[in-house]
Amino acid sequence: MTTEAPMKAPTIFSSELAARFDKLVALYPARRSALIPMLLYAQDEQGYVTDAAIEEIARRIGITPLDVRNVLSYYSLLRTKPVGKYHVQVCTNISCMLRGGQELFEHCKEHLGIGHKETTPDGVFSLEEVECIGACSWAPAVQVNYDFHDNLTADAMDAVLDQYRKQAGK
Amino acid sequence: MPTLVSHPEEVKIVSSRFGKGATDIERYIELDGYQAARTAVEKGADWVIAEMKTSGLRGRGGAGFPTGMKWSFVPKQSEKPKYVLVNGDESEPGTCKDHLIFLHDPHTVIEGTIIAGLAIGAKMGFIYLRGEYRYLLEIMEKAIADAYAKGFLGKGIFGSQIDFDIISHTGAGAYEVGEESALMESLEGKRGIPRIKPPFPAVVGLYGGPTVINNAETIATVPHVLRMGGEAYAKIGSERNGGTRLFCLSGHVERPGVYELPMGYNLKKMIYEIGGGIRGGRQLKAVVPGGSSTPVLLPNEIDIGMDFDQVGKAGSMLGSGGVVVLDETVCMVEFALRTIKFYQHESCGWCIPCREGTDWLKKTLTRFHAGAGVAKDIDNIRYLAENMLGRTFCPLGDAAAMPTIAFVKKFRQEFEDHLNGKPCAYAKQKMQESVLV
Ligand SMILES: Cc1cc2nc3c(=O)[nH]c(=O)nc-3n(C[C@H](O)[C@H](O)[C@H](O)COP(=O)(O)O)c2cc1C
Ligand code: SF4
Ligand code: FES
């Protein structure tokens, strides 16, 4: 006689994230409400939303992978391609523009040697011009991954980038 | 970390706990926290709604709808569960006030959500934060866990028979999901396409149940209103505009920052006294009074009280509280272009006037600002924008059209100066760059 241990569905995520997903889908009145947070958390762990992540999230929620892709493509933070370890997002919207946001974006391009939505060859930095990030009274503002940096000047920006470069061990 | 500012003219109510360590639940309780929710549990829904109506509090998300009245529209009996949805999508350019509320006083958002839930008979509330606000989501999550541990959330809150749960939720980048029906779609795990109205959310909302949607600042104000009493709160503001609000001063003032001032506070005074005037002693050119979707005001139009009615009478809107100040160095064509670029980027594409209109406006303004404009472009821009007004599925179309019309109307000369190969200095520089590339 063979007794089978209850099979846990295989996961591509860390055990912490998988456990978090188990909770998330059961939390809301409808499983699907967990979709957008799950995609973002998966991206945080894997750098971008991979095909495998889409498959697994679709299965966990009980919708088709196509359904997941359809939602994913709507949201600007979600991506299906890798970016740099540090994703530098420079706001050039009106409040930042008035305080040098566009010049700061040009400065970042020069400093990093890359353009909008490009990644440095060593994979450390990527750059993106973004819309208002909710830091208008402390403009110009930049977000690196989820960290805010505000009241920036070109020099202050250089210092911020240097610090991340050090953290990356480069 | 955003810098906190202060000015003696401020009346600090929503911001009264900023910088005082109130993210810690014990500290929050020490600072009179959760008293209002306790009182609301004792006195019941009718009392809460009556106080809210008396307070004259109007929604801080942009439209200024009276909060007490909104809550009273929710049917008392409902087969489907009712919900409270807190709008923390905060994406209107120029607006950064909810950022500070989540950062410094997360419990007041929780407390306000509990009270709103009580008022409408909901057992569940959601706090939706824009995806960029991850560090603030973490602060909210911790605060919610602490409130559960104290018995302020969950089964039998504050020792009563009432159950109430709160879930904090992250978005993933989209201005349009700030619109209330798109917000519900997003929370249900879909693309942020708005829903047709009616039915209104108060009747058919989240998961088909009656739903109250309020801006985070509106909700954060609720406990203060109950603590002070609706009447005392109403007295602070101007006529039909109760209380205070957070104004996000940005752009070319000496002292930008988020200031809490009574409704009806004079805009000119806000810029010159609170904000310390125009940086470097330059001349004021224009003011965008309530976030990027509100029509621009000229220097001779700013001697007005900042409340929903007075700014409306001046031909603009109080909007989301983002006061953007422009000095004489700004090229208004470029500013108009940057504004429309945003709306073009954020248009969800569902309806044609908005999707195509914002796209054409962006294309035309880009060419125009680069010095390749022709005289009839100016009227075309205005005509295009005017034809979007009122013809779009949701108000984003208007939000794009209204400021555009005002820029052309009020700064026509500046548009004309860009004609005949006379682009502004900034545009020339940009053109050279694009030639280099
Ligand atoms: C395009 C668009 C974007 C919006 N963005 C926000 C937002 O980020 N935050 C917000 O509170 N309200 C936003 N609103 C307003 C909401 O639809 C809704 O009126 C508001 O959340 C109601 O709350 P209140 O009554 O407390 O103001 C937006 C509206 C539109 C049309
Ligand atoms: S007005 Fe714009 S944002 Fe609103 S539904 Fe139409 S396309 Fe979408
Ligand atoms: S305009 Fe840049 S943060 Fe708001």
Side-chain angles (χ1 to χ4, degrees):
Chain A
M1 203 175 80
T2 51
T3 44
E4 271 179 53
M7 273 279 283
K8 271 238 161 206
T11 179
I12 61 157
F13 302 114
S14 66
S15 52
E16 294 81 27
L17 191 59
R20 191 169 184 196
F21 283 177
D22 288 340
K23 269 201 214 138
L24 261 181
V25 289
L27 185 64
Y28 297 86
R31 286 176 88 80
R32 188 170 175 152
S33 283
L35 176 57
I36 293 154
M38 283 166 85
L39 288 169
L40 195 57
Y41 299 152
Q43 171 170 295
D44 292 343
E45 185 166 283
Q46 304 188 321
Y48 64 103
V49 187
T50 61
D51 289 346
I54 291 172
E55 294 284 334
E56 181 172 337
I57 289 171
R59 198 189 66 228
R60 282 173 175 270
I61 289 182
I63 55 179
T64 65
L66 189 65
D67 238 348
V68 173
R69 283 182 200 278
N70 186 35
V71 172
L72 191 158
S73 63
Y74 179 88
Y75 294 92
S76 66
L77 287 182
L78 298 174
R79 51 180 182 257
T80 50
K81 290 200 174 67
V83 288
K85 185 170 170 35
Y86 300 107
H87 188 49
V88 181
Q89 300 147 88
V90 184
C91 173
T92 61
N93 210 310
I94 53 172
S95 302
C96 288
M97 167 187 169
L98 295 176
R99 296 189 81 96
Q102 292 185 327
E103 291 77 3
L104 194 66
F105 180 57
E106 295 302 322
H107 179 81
C108 287
K109 279 187 188 166
E110 221 167 275
H111 181 127
L112 298 172
I114 51 176
H116 176 59
K117 292 203 172 174
E118 289 177 3
T119 305
T120 55
D122 60 2
V124 175
F125 290 108
S126 48
L127 183 64
E128 187 176 350
E129 178 181 9
V130 294
E131 300 296 357
C132 177
I133 52 178
C136 327
S137 289
W138 319 293
V142 166
Q143 237 186 328
V144 180
N145 297 346
Y146 289 112
D147 294 337
F148 280 89
H149 300 276
D150 36 49
N151 284 313
L152 288 165
T153 57
D155 287 348
M157 190 71 227
D158 288 347
V160 166
L161 293 175
D162 286 345
Q163 212 191 329
Y164 284 109
R165 196 173 280 119
K166 238 184 249 159
Q167 268 179 43
K170 299 265 173 171
Chain B
M1 188 96 131
T3 24
L4 283 178
V5 287
S6 219
H7 191 277
E9 289 265 301
E10 274 185 281
V11 179
K12 298 202 185 219
I13 297 175
V14 202
S15 62
S16 59
R17 299 192 190 94
F18 287 6
K20 291 189 179 160
T23 47
D24 177 57
I25 193 164
E26 300 299 341
R27 179 75 181 132
Y28 181 74
I29 293 167
E30 223 173 85
L31 297 166
D32 301 329
Y34 287 111
Q35 273 181 19
R38 231 179 260 277
T39 314
V41 167
E42 278 163 28
K43 297 199 173 175
D46 292 342
W47 175 79
V48 172
I49 290 187
E51 287 297 318
M52 291 308 297
K53 281 187 173 166
T54 310
S55 75
L57 175 65
R58 294 170 68 170
R60 305 303 192 224
F65 197 85
T67 307
M69 201 191 294
K70 184 183 266 190
W71 293 4
S72 70
F73 289 158
V74 176
K76 283 222 159 42
Q77 301 300 328
S78 166
E79 268 173 34
K80 294 206 168 163
K82 306 180 207 175
Y83 301 100
V84 177
L85 173 51
V86 181
N87 192 344
D89 191 53
E90 186 157 75
S91 305
E92 170 87 355
T95 319
C96 53
K97 66 203 175 57
D98 302 342
H99 188 146
L100 287 184
I101 295 172
F102 294 129
L103 177 61
H104 291 283
D105 205 1
H107 285 287
T108 195
V109 182
I110 297 171
E111 191 175 1
T113 310
I114 297 172
I115 296 167
L118 226 120
I120 66 160
K123 301 220 171 320
M124 189 176 270
F126 299 92
I127 301 174
Y128 186 118
L129 274 74
R130 62 181 298 184
E132 290 83 353
Y133 284 178
R134 172 61 60 81
Y135 86 114
L136 302 173
L137 181 76
E138 282 164 7
I139 292 170
M140 279 313 307
E141 281 171 350
K142 160 96 173 40
I144 290 170
D146 291 346
Y148 269 105
K150 285 269 180 202
F152 301 163
L153 286 173
K155 293 238 170 293
I157 58 169
F158 302 102
S160 72
Q161 303 290 314
I162 299 163
D163 305 337
F164 196 74
D165 288 297
I166 291 184
I167 298 173
S168 54
H169 184 92
T170 181
Y175 166 70
E176 170 59 4
V177 306
E179 192 281 330
E180 56 186 17
S181 67
L183 185 71
M184 296 191 291
E185 288 288 298
S186 180
L187 185 57
E188 292 182 10
K190 300 174 198 152
R191 291 169 76 89
I193 309 286
R195 296 178 183 173
I196 197 152
K197 294 180 220 174
F200 290 95
V203 185
V204 182
L206 265 177
Y207 312 111
T211 303
V212 146
I213 300 155
N214 275 122
N215 170 253
E217 183 188 352
T218 312
I219 286 291
T221 307
V222 168
H224 295 286
V225 169
L226 295 193
R227 229 167 18 81
M228 299 168 67
E231 214 177 302
Y233 184 79
K235 274 206 190 111
I236 296 169
S238 53
E239 204 185 325
R240 302 200 326 122
N241 286 267
T244 57
R245 88 173 289 178
L246 297 175
F247 289 99
C248 321
L249 258 182
S250 73
H252 293 152
V253 283
E254 287 284 2
R255 287 192 301 270
V258 177
Y259 298 92
E260 183 168 5
L261 295 161
M263 293 291 278
Y265 195 88
N266 185 279
L267 176 56
K268 197 168 180 179
K269 241 178 113 182
M270 192 186 297
I271 293 167
Y272 286 94
E273 284 178 35
I274 310 285
I278 311 304
R279 60 150 194 197
R282 290 203 178 89
Q283 289 298 309
L284 175 68
K285 185 170 197 172
V287 183
V288 177
S292 68
S293 65
T294 61
V296 66
L297 296 173
L298 294 171
N300 64 7
E301 295 172 318
I302 63 165
D303 198 3
I304 52 169
M306 287 291 271
D307 66 29
F308 289 103
D309 303 321
Q310 294 182 64
V311 182
K313 236 173 73 192
S316 189
M317 287 181 308
L318 190 65
S320 62
V323 181
V324 187
V325 180
L326 285 66
D327 75 15
E328 56 191 322
T329 64
V330 181
C331 164
M332 294 310 290
V333 177
E334 194 197 4
F335 195 80
L337 170 59
R338 187 62 189 90
T339 302
I340 204 67
K341 257 186 176 165
F342 170 72
Y343 291 100
Q344 189 270 343
H345 184 255
E346 300 298 327
S347 166
C348 82
W350 181 249
C351 67
I352 295 162
C354 169
R355 185 184 63 218
E356 297 300 315
T358 52
D359 205 46
W360 274 107
L361 284 173
K362 178 185 150 183
K363 279 182 184 146
T364 312
L365 276 162
T366 302
R367 176 171 51 76
F368 194 90
H369 181 248
V374 291
K376 73 171 197 292
D377 283 334
I378 304 173
D379 285 327
N380 273 349
I381 290 166
R382 187 168 161 182
Y383 179 73
L384 201 66
E386 279 172 352
N387 277 289
M388 288 167 67
L389 276 186
R391 290 192 174 87
T392 56
F393 193 73
C394 89
L396 189 141
D398 293 341
M402 287 180 308
T404 308
I405 295 166
F407 288 133
V408 176
K409 215 156 78 180
K410 294 184 178 177
F411 292 96
R412 196 176 176 101
Q413 187 57 51
E414 217 162 303
F415 278 79
E416 277 168 10
D417 288 346
H418 281 70
L419 287 170
N420 308 322
K422 276 199 304 182
C424 69
Y426 198 97
K428 262 188 200 142
Q429 194 189 326
K430 285 248 156 132
M431 280 227 298
Q432 275 166 359
E433 267 172 31
S434 63
V435 169
L436 290 178
V437 174

